[in-house]
Amino acid sequence: MKRVAEIYPSDRVTLREVGLRDGLQLVQDFPSTEAKIEWLRRETEAGVRHFELGSFLPVSRMPQFADLGDLIETTERLGLHSAALALNERGVENAVASVVAEIGCVVSATEEHSQANMRRSRADAIALVGRAAALAKATPRRPLVNAGLSMAFGCSIAGEVDPDEVLRLIDACIEAGADVVGVADTVGFTGPKQVGGLTARATKLCGETPLVVHLHDTRGMGVANAAAALDNGCRVLDGSLGGLGGCPFAPGASGNVVYEDLVFLAETMGFRTGVDLDALKAARAVAEGAMPGESFHGALAKAGPPLTEWRL
Amino acid sequence: MKRVAEIYPSDRVTLREVGLRDGLQLVQDFPSTEAKIEWLRRETEAGVRHFELGSFLPVSRMPQFADLGDLIETTERLGLHSAALALNERGVENAVASVVAEIGCVVSATEEHSQANMRRSRADAIALVGRAAALAKATPRRPLVNAGLSMAFGCSIAGEVDPDEVLRLIDACIEAGADVVGVADTVGFTGPKQVGGLTARATKLCGETPLVVHLHDTRGMGVANAAAALDNGCRVLDGSLGGLGGCPFAPGASGNVVYEDLVFLAETMGFRTGVDLDALKAARAVAEGAMPGESFHGALAKAGPPLTEWRL
């Protein structure tokens, strides 16, 4: 069993590819298992190592994640890091029974969103983090438990979110047993100043617990917000290939921050990601072929890496 | 005659709209004069005040700028700030003879690019800045002279560009009489760390001379680079509505940083731009209607401003 500091080393930047989960959440036509595995394989060739693969939810509700078990097994067999969401007690039990290396629980940053979206209180959501941590620690594999705070930078229902409240919730999640915590700008409300400020405080609070910053590009701030997160101590960012994954609250809007652009950003900032941009472009072409109805965003894939070698 | 500190006050952020110049530079089908004026008028309603309108070049070479004189007159009549490029001696003379309020000269940051693109040395380009300044100061209107350094963050021919060299050129342009100087990431090679570093040094060198940072989103870094520029003392940024204006060196690539997204960025950072995002979205729709063959980029126009009022 790998320790958390081996999976998310604090001395380098880890870019998690969440396209197979967040990117497929809203789509009608999703790739076959074979196409998903080819997508994984091509991204692995490009140097991507961390994948969020789906949600443990009833197949009747989310048929795009019916093959989650297969994907997890393939990912682990390839020596990569697999993560998947578990949004309720049943999901947590199924996750613990699988070979997934990281179980993602979600806690809304506001009580209003928690009740409206998950029909439970934030306290109940944190209790589920505790339950997941207890179950995970009782297995020989001991998967990591990741507690992600959605709406941490602004809420589609409550509006403004108090950073003090977010920090309190991060603390509560760590107390409950989370190995990793996250803050998400779920609806793309925020800017780099806010992201930098909260990240600086959160990384200090987290200490050795890795902090994942999950950003959406809904209003064009994705890469700027990622730069601010990196500038303020964050070392784990989420992105999705081609920015797949829209916003349920803004039809047609951009989705997750674009993975390719994140790689380029991190490299220009002096962080070595281990990802080859040309190979990543090729992987993107495969994913685009498998999802012809979806818009793939992002500038780097159109322009290619720059001429100046020193920047990469 | 307005002083430079009134046109570009150092205590607020000015966002210049360069779509009518940089955005039309590469297009085959360009809007009619009436459509351009409607575009201007709608953006003015949204609060935009600074416009770059075209280049003083032979109509046979650049028919899209044939109506530049009309646009300048309209812009000035509306009480707005008009700017236009003058890339050679004849252009400078025509600019001085017009009612334009700001004459833009361009100096390549590298000798290689200067020779290949402009067929002249950088010294000759700086001499033209001096000539423009002398002519401008001899008129009663005294238009501003803006010396913009293209390829200041990386060159499509020479590759890496030494920031010390850029600073030396900025100094030479101010010595030659420039009222405003600029640094451009013409081909979108750079990241926020580089932009922040150069901006901090350049604003210090410039003192009271305004520094314009002109960014392209070719590799997705446009908004992040703009945030870094603002963080490091820049108070004048260029952008184009919908990110119009591609890159001659990367067909199909994104162009200028998206004006709407810049407005949102500045507002989240606490700078009041005076621009109303909903009205700007409406202006963008007008421009899109006038240029049906062009791709309009940018996330904010799809999603709209966020729910959280406090961020704007």
Side-chain angles (χ1 to χ4, degrees):
Chain A
M1 153 197 118
K2 276 191 178 174
R3 285 173 51 248
V4 63
E6 293 174 81
I7 296 169
Y8 296 113
S10 60
D11 61 350
R12 54 169 293 172
V13 166
T14 300
L15 302 177
R16 294 160 29 115
E17 217 284 71
V18 303
L20 287 161
R21 196 276 302 172
D22 212 355
L24 300 189
Q25 197 137 303
L26 296 175
V27 302
Q28 298 297 319
D29 295 317
F30 47 86
S32 66
T33 305
E34 292 65 35
K36 287 183 183 178
I37 289 173
E38 180 64 8
W39 171 346
L40 257 174
R41 206 182 59 70
R42 296 298 294 262
E43 283 201 280
T44 304
E45 280 176 13
V48 183
R49 293 292 175 264
H50 295 69
F51 293 91
E52 196 170 85
L53 299 164
S55 281
F56 284 97
L57 284 171
V59 172
S60 58
R61 235 180 96 194
M62 284 286 190
Q64 56 268 62
F65 300 137
D67 55 8
L68 179 55
D70 287 349
L71 289 183
I72 291 169
E73 281 170 30
T74 302
T75 306
E76 290 296 315
R77 202 161 49 232
L78 290 168
L80 311 167
H81 181 69
S82 65
L85 295 191
L87 301 173
N88 55 31
E89 179 92 18
R90 171 67 66 89
V92 166
E93 286 165 7
N94 289 339
V96 171
S98 79
V99 298
V100 78
E102 180 176 330
I103 302 169
C105 299
V106 176
V107 178
S108 294
T110 68
E111 197 60 33
E112 292 90 329
H113 185 264
S114 189
Q115 294 291 354
N117 195 52
M118 308 293 278
R119 288 180 207 166
R120 69 182 175 207
S121 67
R122 293 177 297 176
D124 285 348
I126 293 168
L128 187 64
V129 172
R131 171 93 176 126
L135 286 175
K137 283 176 182 60
T139 68
R141 289 187 307 102
R142 296 189 68 164
L144 299 182
V145 172
N146 176 333
L149 296 172
S150 65
M151 306 287 170
F153 295 95
C155 172
S156 58
I157 297 170
E160 187 176 352
V161 173
D162 181 358
D164 288 344
E165 186 70 1
V166 175
L167 292 167
R168 191 188 68 73
L169 292 165
I170 288 173
D171 202 39
C173 289
I174 294 173
E175 278 295 306
D179 304 291
V180 179
V181 292
V183 283
D185 183 21
T186 312
V187 285
F189 272 12
T190 200
K193 192 171 166 185
Q194 291 76 22
V195 170
L198 183 58
T199 301
R201 295 179 67 192
T203 51
K204 197 173 162 200
L205 174 66
C206 284
E208 293 185 2
T209 302
L211 176 80
V212 182
V213 178
H214 176 101
L215 298 163
H216 279 240
D217 197 37
T218 323
R219 288 167 185 85
M221 301 298 113
V223 174
N225 290 346
L230 292 174
D231 269 338
N232 286 281
C234 163
R235 291 295 174 265
V236 191
L237 288 166
D238 284 352
S240 76
L241 197 66
L244 276 179
C247 176
F249 309 98
S254 318
N256 286 274
V257 60
V258 176
Y259 194 91
E260 309 88 279
D261 294 357
L262 272 191
V263 171
F264 181 58
L265 170 75
E267 297 280 345
T268 69
M269 292 176 78
F271 298 106
R272 294 293 160 264
T273 62
V275 179
D276 179 271
L277 282 171
D278 287 315
L280 195 60
K281 266 185 73 172
R284 172 183 157 123
V286 169
E288 277 192 278
M291 298 180 72
E294 294 300 312
S295 295
F296 281 63
H297 302 277
L300 192 118
K302 288 181 212 146
L307 182 66
T308 39
E309 280 299 318
W310 63 280
R311 292 181 194 274
L312 284 181
Chain B
M1 154 197 119
K2 274 190 180 174
R3 286 172 51 245
V4 62
E6 292 173 83
I7 295 169
Y8 295 114
S10 60
D11 62 350
R12 52 168 294 170
V13 166
T14 300
L15 301 177
R16 294 160 30 113
E17 217 285 70
V18 303
L20 287 161
R21 196 277 301 172
D22 211 356
L24 300 189
Q25 197 135 303
L26 296 175
V27 302
Q28 297 299 318
D29 296 316
F30 46 87
S32 68
T33 305
E34 293 65 35
K36 287 182 182 180
I37 289 173
E38 178 65 6
W39 171 346
L40 258 173
R41 206 182 58 71
R42 295 299 295 261
E43 282 200 280
T44 305
E45 281 176 10
V48 183
R49 294 290 175 266
H50 295 70
F51 294 90
E52 197 170 83
L53 298 163
S55 280
F56 284 97
L57 284 171
V59 172
S60 58
R61 232 179 97 196
M62 284 286 189
Q64 56 268 61
F65 300 136
D67 54 8
L68 178 55
D70 287 348
L71 288 183
I72 290 170
E73 281 170 30
T74 302
T75 305
E76 290 296 316
R77 202 161 49 233
L78 290 168
L80 310 168
H81 181 68
S82 65
L85 295 191
L87 301 174
N88 54 32
E89 180 91 19
R90 171 66 64 88
V92 165
E93 286 163 7
N94 289 339
V96 171
S98 79
V99 298
V100 78
E102 179 175 331
I103 301 170
C105 298
V106 176
V107 179
S108 293
T110 69
E111 197 61 32
E112 292 91 328
H113 185 264
S114 189
Q115 294 292 354
N117 194 53
M118 308 292 280
R119 289 179 206 166
R120 68 181 176 210
S121 67
R122 292 177 298 176
D124 286 346
I126 292 168
L128 187 64
V129 171
R131 172 92 175 124
L135 287 175
K137 284 178 181 58
T139 67
R141 288 188 309 102
R142 297 189 66 164
L144 300 182
V145 172
N146 176 333
L149 295 173
S150 65
M151 305 287 171
F153 296 95
C155 172
S156 58
I157 296 171
E160 187 176 354
V161 173
D162 181 358
D164 288 344
E165 188 69 0
V166 175
L167 292 167
R168 191 189 67 73
L169 292 165
I170 288 173
D171 202 38
C173 289
I174 294 173
E175 277 297 306
D179 304 291
V180 179
V181 293
V183 283
D185 183 21
T186 312
V187 285
F189 273 11
T190 200
K193 193 171 166 184
Q194 291 76 22
V195 171
L198 183 57
T199 301
R201 295 179 65 192
T203 50
K204 199 174 161 196
L205 173 66
C206 284
E208 292 185 3
T209 303
L211 175 79
V212 183
V213 178
H214 176 101
L215 298 163
H216 279 241
D217 197 36
T218 323
R219 288 166 185 86
M221 301 298 112
V223 174
N225 290 346
L230 292 174
D231 270 338
N232 287 280
C234 162
R235 292 294 174 267
V236 191
L237 288 166
D238 284 353
S240 76
L241 198 66
L244 275 179
C247 176
F249 308 99
S254 319
N256 285 275
V257 61
V258 176
Y259 194 91
E260 309 88 278
D261 293 356
L262 273 191
V263 172
F264 181 57
L265 170 75
E267 297 279 346
T268 68
M269 292 176 76
F271 298 107
R272 293 292 160 264
T273 61
V275 179
D276 179 271
L277 282 171
D278 286 315
L280 195 60
K281 266 186 72 172
R284 172 181 158 125
V286 169
E288 277 193 277
M291 299 181 71
E294 294 300 312
S295 295
F296 280 64
H297 302 275
L300 191 116
K302 289 181 212 147
L307 182 67
T308 39
E309 280 299 319
W310 62 280
R311 292 179 194 274
L312 285 179

